[in-house]
Amino acid sequence: MSFFGSKCLIKNKGCGSLERLFEPTYGRVLTYKRFLYILLTLGLLGLLLSIYYFMWISVPSTIMIKAGVEQELNFKVPATGELYREAVETSAGVDTKDRIHIDLGKTVTVKASQVEQYKLQLKLFGVIPLKEVNLEVIQDLKLKPAGIPIGIYVRTKGVLVVGIGDFEGEEGQKKSPGKYVFQIGDYILEINDEEINSKKELIEKISHSEGQEMVFQVQRGDARIEVKARPEPNQNGEYKMGIWVRDNAQGVGTMTYIDGQGCFGALGHGINDVDTSTLMSLSRGTLYHTEIIGITRGATGSPGELTGFIEYDDNNIMGDITANTPRGIFGICTPDIVADAEYDYLPLGLKQEIKKGPAQIICSLGDGTHIYDVEITNINLENDNVNRGIVLEITDPELLTATGGIVQGMSGSPIIQDDKLIGAITHVLVQDPTRGYGIFIENMLMH
């Protein structure tokens, strides 16, 4: 009895020991499996989100088509939407009573008769909401590609604050009356209800203030505000505010196009202040003839530039700048510039028509405008940066020898593909001057 009992006791202990031995191992296996399931789920979710994002960027939020012209849409995205029947005529669409069902997974030919804007709600596989697309019908324009070097002179609307600092007062102490009152990027428009149009006027008003409090009307971003400050004398007894200001900017660029009314577009990006990097608020601006007198070749990490000689003389005026926008500068040419433009009018190449491969740019290195070969390496249909829709590489041996690639001053050089004007050069890649970006021509026209 005792032996049997002892034997059972040993057996029970053994069984208990085995359970305790395998219990943590089994728990670790379960935990590992859960981890794998979670990892697999996250991986699938990430894959689905990546596919969804790829689909999202494959269709632009704005699609432009030309009135009266058949336009082929070929996005190869399994997304469908509906348009009102009277909006457009389509192929590869399914008609309903009052709407046309469009499947962007197929090539669709679209034609609209009048300038208008329509909404297209897209769904993946007809179920999953993708995005709302603006279908904009624009005039079937033709533009003259220019490629002409231009000298630019602009005056700001008001006086731009580009820096805030201090100076020594009459007793040698540091003074900064403008600190905490003004901000870099402010435009001073008025002092004591009197308009300020130049840096000279601002300095005179402050120097004659005799230390009295002054009321400033300031444009700060989108808001117009009122601030007050009291100038203080420096060591010479001259009244100062402790701010650095600018009222104009100059530079060299390239004209992109001229339209049938003699209006021009240039640069493909706005004129930003060199110190604040903010878009300059334009009061007025003028284009001048410029002569390219030197080229600094671009190199890795060091962008090159075209050096131009500009004579600010009334006889050298090419036109007036009426707008400075993130999409370029725009205005009206003098009649002789329109008449002397070398190249014929070309149709627009909209972004969905652009393809990777050979293209050309037009620019001048000082010996007249010439056409140079480039390669379009990527097209960003849905880029947050409006100036970087086209990615291109300079392939022309002559241009590479002269400039090393894209250099400052070439901004605005028109880009041509298949005898259509598709955009303009805007930026260079600092680490590779042979490569850079361009803006779609339709984006310039939306200024």
Side-chain angles (χ1 to χ4, degrees):
M1 289 287 294
S2 62
F3 179 75
F4 183 80
S6 299
K7 187 176 181 181
C8 289
L9 181 62
I10 294 170
K11 184 179 180 180
N12 290 338
K13 284 182 179 179
C15 291
S17 298
L18 287 172
E19 290 172 0
R20 287 192 296 274
L21 176 64
F22 285 104
E23 184 178 2
T25 302
Y26 179 68
R28 284 196 294 271
V29 170
L30 284 177
T31 302
Y32 183 65
K33 284 184 175 179
R34 288 194 197 101
F35 174 74
L36 288 180
Y37 288 143
I38 292 171
L39 198 62
L40 179 60
T41 301
L42 291 175
L44 287 173
L45 182 61
L47 177 62
L48 290 173
L49 288 175
S50 297
I51 293 172
Y52 182 87
Y53 178 70
F54 175 77
M55 300 291 184
W56 190 87
I57 64 172
S58 295
V59 181
S61 296
T62 299
I63 300 174
M64 290 188 177
I65 61 174
K66 306 169 200 172
V69 179
E70 287 190 349
Q71 174 69 64
E72 192 174 87
L73 304 180
N74 186 19
F75 297 113
K76 298 179 181 178
V77 172
T80 58
E82 291 183 334
L83 286 173
Y84 287 111
R85 178 185 292 276
E86 62 268 23
V88 293
E89 302 171 17
T90 68
S91 66
V94 179
D95 289 353
T96 62
K97 286 185 178 181
D98 59 348
R99 293 174 181 266
I100 300 173
H101 185 79
I102 294 178
D103 184 356
L104 292 184
K106 306 172 182 178
T107 300
V108 181
T109 301
V110 181
K111 183 178 179 181
S113 58
Q114 59 185 7
V115 175
E116 190 54 271
Q117 184 179 81
Y118 305 99
K119 300 290 184 182
L120 183 62
Q121 299 287 347
L122 290 181
K123 292 183 179 181
L124 284 176
F125 311 108
V127 178
I128 305 170
L130 181 63
K131 64 173 21 176
E132 181 180 80
V133 173
N134 294 318
L135 185 65
E136 294 191 11
V137 186
I138 63 173
Q139 290 181 345
D140 183 21
L141 298 174
K142 288 190 175 182
L143 303 173
K144 277 191 176 187
I148 305 168
I150 51 176
I152 301 165
Y153 178 84
V154 295
R155 291 197 69 88
T156 61
K157 186 178 180 180
V159 178
L160 174 64
V161 178
V162 299
I164 300 172
D166 52 42
F167 56 89
E168 288 190 6
E170 290 181 306
E171 298 178 2
Q173 71 276 44
K174 296 292 184 183
K175 296 288 185 179
S176 184
K179 194 174 183 180
Y180 308 121
V181 176
F182 299 99
Q183 294 182 10
I184 293 175
D186 283 351
Y187 282 91
I188 300 174
L189 306 176
E190 295 180 3
I191 297 179
N192 297 337
D193 296 326
E194 293 186 19
E195 195 174 82
I196 298 297
N197 295 307
S198 68
K199 180 169 65 174
K200 181 180 178 181
E201 289 180 5
L202 177 71
I203 292 172
E204 287 179 352
K205 291 285 185 186
I206 292 173
S207 64
H208 291 99
S209 67
E210 297 183 351
Q212 298 296 312
E213 184 178 71
M214 309 180 79
V215 180
F216 297 82
Q217 291 289 329
V218 171
Q219 186 74 36
R220 182 170 295 169
D222 294 330
R224 181 164 173 155
I225 63 174
E226 181 179 284
V227 298
K228 297 178 181 180
R230 190 186 300 273
E232 297 194 39
N234 64 8
Q235 285 188 316
N236 299 322
E238 301 168 337
Y239 286 95
K240 302 288 183 183
M241 192 60 71
I243 57 175
W244 283 265
V245 295
R246 179 175 292 121
D247 62 5
N248 63 71
Q250 305 91 29
V252 173
T254 300
M255 185 183 292
T256 306
Y257 68 80
I258 304 171
D259 69 14
Q261 286 71 49
C263 297
F264 73 84
L267 296 187
H269 59 73
I271 300 173
N272 293 337
D273 178 71
V274 67
D275 293 306
T276 66
S277 297
T278 57
L279 188 72
M280 297 191 74
S281 179
L282 179 69
S283 171
R284 58 185 175 86
T286 309
L287 290 188
Y288 291 90
H289 287 281
T290 184
E291 179 185 354
I292 303 300
I293 59 174
I295 301 171
T296 302
R297 295 183 78 256
T300 300
S302 177
E305 66 175 351
L306 301 178
T307 303
F309 173 75
I310 309 168
E311 187 174 351
Y312 296 106
D313 184 274
D314 289 349
N315 294 325
N316 285 324
I317 291 177
M318 298 174 65
D320 294 322
I321 303 170
T322 57
N324 177 34
T325 80
R327 302 168 189 266
I329 61 172
F330 304 90
I332 303 173
C333 293
T334 56
D336 60 305
I337 297 301
V338 179
D340 293 343
E342 183 175 349
Y343 299 96
D344 292 332
Y345 286 96
L346 293 179
L348 305 182
L350 302 177
K351 57 187 171 187
Q352 63 267 19
E353 300 178 272
I354 304 171
K355 54 184 180 290
K356 294 180 183 179
Q360 300 80 39
I361 64 170
I362 302 174
C363 64
S364 173
L365 304 181
D367 56 349
T369 57
H370 295 280
I371 298 175
Y372 299 100
D373 292 327
V374 300
E375 184 87 5
I376 294 177
T377 59
N378 202 10
I379 303 121
N380 300 317
L381 295 176
E382 190 73 342
N383 197 320
D384 290 338
N385 192 320
V386 71
N387 312 109
R388 302 190 178 193
I390 301 171
V391 184
L392 74 159
E393 181 178 1
I394 304 296
T395 57
D396 194 287
E398 182 182 347
L399 187 57
L400 289 171
T401 299
T403 65
I406 299 170
V407 296
Q408 297 178 58
M410 286 173 59
S411 290
S413 299
I415 307 171
I416 313 296
Q417 188 179 62
D418 296 334
D419 294 323
K420 295 179 180 179
L421 177 58
I422 64 170
I425 287 179
T426 56
H427 295 84
V428 61
L429 287 173
V430 176
Q431 296 306 315
D432 183 0
T434 66
R435 300 174 62 228
Y437 296 102
I439 183 174
F440 298 123
I441 191 63
E442 64 196 69
N443 286 344
M444 290 187 71
L445 296 175
M446 290 171 63
H447 73 277

